[in-house]
C-alpha cells in the first residue's frame, strides 16, 4: 500500500494554509496589537492553530482585519529529537516547555496544544480554560498493505511502530510475540516509514488524520474495546496568561463545555495516578444521556498485567469522578507497581516491549 506521502504533506498543509499571503503580517496594518498564537510547526499543530484562528475570526469581527492575528511557530525539544522515545527524553512536557516560556515571556498571547501532550500541571501564571469541540478520540490502525484490519489478526512476530507505551502495552496484551519499536516524527514521517517497509503496521490518533484530511490512510478505526485511547486524545486546548484579560475574553468564547468536562475528568484521573511516560495509562470520558461515563486502565509496559476501571455520574462532578477512578486503580495496583515503574530505567522498559 502506497501512501504518496509527499502529496499528502502538500495537500494537508495547503488545506490549512493561511488565507492571507503570509501567516506573519505587518502589525502596523492593524490598529491594536495583534493576537499572537503560539504553536509547534508540525502540519498537525499548524492545522490546529489555523482552526483556532478561524474560530476566533468567526466570533470576533475585529480579528478578521489584516494583521489582527499572528501565527508564531516555535520549535520544541520534542520536535527536534526524534531518535529517542519520549520516556528516554523525560516526558511529554517536551512538547510544551518552549511554548510555556514564550507565553510567560510575553512573546505570544495564547498557545494551542494537543491536550494529550499537556502535562497535568501548568506553569504558575498560566491557565488553560478552553477546549475546542472534540474530534473522534479513537486510534486508527494502519497496515502496510491494508490486508489486516485488526491487531489480533497480525501474524506472530509482526513489527508495529509506535512511540506510545499505552498502545504498546495494549498491543502486547493481545499478542506478546508482537514487537513494538520506537516510531516518532510527524504523521507524514511515520507514514513514509510504513511505506518504506520499516514496520508492518502503526497506530495514530484518527483525530489528527481527520484534521489534515488524511483519514483515508486508516485501514480501520479501533473502538474502545480494542484500544482504549489516551487521556485527552482528540482535544485541542488553548492556554494563556492568567492576568491577560483580552486573551481570556477571546478564548472563553471558543470553549466547548462538554469537551472540557470530559477532558477535566480524564486529566484528574491521570493526576491521581501521578502518571509519567514510564507508565502505560489510558483514560476516556463520554457524555451519554446527560451523564458522564469514564473508562480507565493502567498496565505493565509488556502488557502482562493490566488494571481497568469504569465510573459514571453527573457532568458537574467530572473532575471528582476522574480523581476517584485514579485513586481506585492506584490502590488496586499497590505501591509496588508504581515503585517498579519509577525504578526501571528507560532501557529496561524498552527491553520489555521490544523483546
Amino acid at each position: 500500500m502506497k501512501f504518496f506521502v509527499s502529496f499528502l504533506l502538500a495537500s494537508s498543509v495547503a488545506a490549512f494554509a493561511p488565507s492571507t499571503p503570509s501567516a506573519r503580517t505587518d502589525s502596523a496594518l492593524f490598529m491594536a496589537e495583534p493576537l499572537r498564537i503560539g504553536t509547534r510547526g508540525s502540519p498537525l499543530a499548524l492545522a490546529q492553530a489555523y482552526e483556532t484562528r478561524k474560530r476566533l475570526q468567526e466570533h470576533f469581527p475585529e480579528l478578521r482585519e489584516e494583521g489582527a492575528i499572528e501565527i508564531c511557530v516555535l520549535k520544541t525539544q520534542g520536535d527536534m529529537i526524534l531518535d529517542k522515545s519520549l520516556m528516554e527524553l523525560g516526558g511529554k512536557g517536551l512538547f510544551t516547555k518552549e511554548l510555556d516560556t514564550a507565553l510567560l515571556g510575553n512573546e505570544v498571547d495564547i498557545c494551542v496544544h494537543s491536550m494529550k501532550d499537556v502535562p497535568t500541571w501548568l506553569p504558575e501564571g498560566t491557565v488553560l480554560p478552553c477546549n475546542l469541540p472534540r474530534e473522534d478520540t479513537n486510534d486508527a490502525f494502519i497496515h502496510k498493505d491494508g490486508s489486516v484490519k485488526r491487531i489480533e489478526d497480525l501474524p506472530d512476530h509482526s513489527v508495529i511502530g509506535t512511540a506510545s507505551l499505552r498502545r504498546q502495552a495494549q498491543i502486547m496484551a493481545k499478542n506478546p510475540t508482537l514487537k513494538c519499536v520506537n516510531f516518532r516524527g510527524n504523521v507524514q514521517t511515520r507514514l513514509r516509514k510504513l511505506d518504506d517497509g520499516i514496520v508492518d503496521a502503526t497506530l495514530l490518533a484518527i483525530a489528527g488524520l481527520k484534521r489534515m484530511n488524511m483519514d483515508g490512510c486508516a485501514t480501520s478505526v479501533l473502538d474502545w474495546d480494542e484500544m482504549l485511547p489516551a487521556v485527552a486524545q482528540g482535544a485541542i486546548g488553548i492556554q494563556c496568561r492568567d492576568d491577560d484579560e483580552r486573551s481570556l475574553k477571546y478564548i472563553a468564547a471558543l470553549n466547548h463545555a462538554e469537551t472540557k468536562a470530559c477532558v477535566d475528568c480524564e486529566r484528574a484521573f491521570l493526576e491521581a495516578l501521578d502518571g509519567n511516560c514510564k507508565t502505560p495509562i489510558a483514560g476516556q470520558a463520554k457524555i451519554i444521556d446527560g451523564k458522564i461515563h469514564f473508562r480507565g486502565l493502567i498496565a505493565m509496559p509488556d502488557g502482562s498485567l493490566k488494571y481497568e476501571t469504569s465510573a459514571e455520574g453527573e457532568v458537574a462532578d467530572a473532575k471528582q469522578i476522574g480523581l476517584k477512578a485514579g485513586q481506585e486503580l492506584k490502590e488496586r495496583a499497590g505501591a509496588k507497581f508504581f515503585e517498579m515503574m519509577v525504578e526501571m530505567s528507560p532501557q529496561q522498559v524498552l527491553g520489555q516491549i521490544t523483546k
Side-chain angles (χ1 to χ4, degrees):
M1 169 178 159
K2 294 291 181 183
F3 292 107
F4 305 103
V5 173
S6 297
F7 168 77
L8 289 172
L9 176 58
S11 61
S12 62
V13 173
F16 294 96
S19 57
T20 55
S22 170
R24 293 180 181 274
T25 55
D26 185 353
S27 62
L29 297 174
F30 186 61
M31 295 298 291
E33 288 294 318
L35 184 70
R36 300 162 298 174
I37 300 178
T39 177
R40 294 164 56 198
S42 71
L44 176 56
L46 289 172
Q48 294 176 164
Y50 295 143
E51 173 69 14
T52 300
R53 184 181 67 174
K54 179 174 76 95
R55 290 176 180 272
L56 285 166
Q57 290 173 333
E58 288 171 350
H59 279 81
F60 299 98
E62 70 272 22
L63 294 181
R64 299 170 199 161
E65 299 292 329
E66 186 175 2
I69 297 178
E70 180 180 354
I71 304 291
C72 302
V73 177
L74 301 166
K75 275 200 169 183
T76 70
Q77 190 177 0
D79 293 313
M80 291 183 282
I81 304 175
L82 301 177
D83 59 345
K84 296 182 179 179
S85 70
L86 294 179
M87 178 182 58
E88 290 177 283
L89 293 174
K92 61 185 177 182
L94 292 164
F95 290 120
T96 60
K97 287 178 183 176
E98 286 79 2
L99 293 169
D100 290 337
T101 300
L103 187 61
L104 289 169
N106 198 26
E107 297 172 35
V108 298
D109 300 303
I110 65 175
C111 291
V112 179
H113 300 287
S114 290
M115 282 302 300
K116 70 176 184 177
D117 293 333
V118 180
T120 53
W121 53 269
L122 295 173
E124 187 175 353
T126 74
V127 290
L128 209 163
C130 172
N131 290 131
L132 300 186
R134 198 173 198 173
E135 196 30 284
D136 186 339
T137 67
N138 292 327
D139 279 325
F141 176 72
I142 310 175
H143 186 257
K144 61 184 178 182
D145 61 17
S147 62
V148 177
K149 303 288 193 290
R150 304 189 313 149
I151 295 168
E152 291 88 342
D153 296 332
L154 285 168
D156 287 354
H157 310 293
S158 294
V159 179
I160 302 178
T162 176
S164 163
L165 280 183
R166 168 191 65 86
R167 289 177 177 137
Q168 290 166 335
Q170 293 182 77
I171 288 167
M172 297 190 71
K174 297 174 186 292
N175 182 348
T177 75
L178 298 177
K179 181 178 180 180
C180 294
V181 298
N182 187 45
F183 214 55
R184 294 194 52 224
N186 62 38
V187 171
Q188 289 78 9
T189 298
R190 298 187 202 191
L191 291 180
R192 189 180 301 115
K193 290 178 180 178
L194 180 62
D195 207 26
D196 290 343
I198 295 173
V199 297
D200 298 306
T202 190
L203 282 83
L204 296 168
I206 191 63
L209 294 176
K210 284 185 174 183
R211 289 187 177 118
M212 293 186 292
N213 295 323
M214 294 173 64
D215 48 310
C217 294
T219 305
S220 62
V221 178
L222 307 179
D223 64 30
W224 284 15
D225 291 328
E226 295 176 284
M227 178 66 60
L228 192 62
V231 163
Q233 184 158 304
I236 296 172
I238 308 177
Q239 178 188 18
C240 69
R241 292 180 293 278
D242 60 12
D243 60 355
D244 184 349
E245 294 183 6
R246 183 180 73 143
S247 294
L248 285 165
K249 177 195 78 170
Y250 283 141
I251 64 177
L254 306 189
N255 185 53
H256 187 254
E258 286 196 3
T259 297
K260 190 161 192 315
C262 290
V263 169
D264 286 349
C265 177
E266 295 162 22
R267 283 169 61 80
F269 170 75
L270 184 63
E271 186 174 9
L273 290 166
D274 192 24
N276 59 57
C277 282
K278 289 184 184 180
T279 310
I281 297 174
Q284 286 281 288
K286 287 183 181 177
I287 295 177
I288 304 172
D289 297 329
K291 300 282 188 180
I292 196 160
H293 296 253
F294 175 79
R295 287 178 60 183
L297 71 81
I298 56 175
M300 288 290 294
D302 63 357
S304 60
L305 184 61
K306 184 168 63 173
Y307 297 93
E308 300 180 74
T309 188
S310 62
E312 65 178 87
E314 301 298 326
V315 175
D317 299 327
K319 286 186 180 179
Q320 195 60 26
I321 290 167
L323 184 66
K324 285 184 177 179
Q327 291 170 339
E328 177 205 334
L329 284 193
K330 196 168 187 176
E331 290 174 7
R332 283 171 54 195
K336 187 175 180 181
F337 177 92
F338 294 95
E339 286 170 4
M340 182 173 59
M341 293 292 184
V342 172
E343 291 168 0
M344 290 174 107
S345 69
Q347 290 73 24
Q348 286 175 310
V349 177
L350 290 170
Q352 288 192 53
I353 60 180
T354 60
K355 62 188 177 184

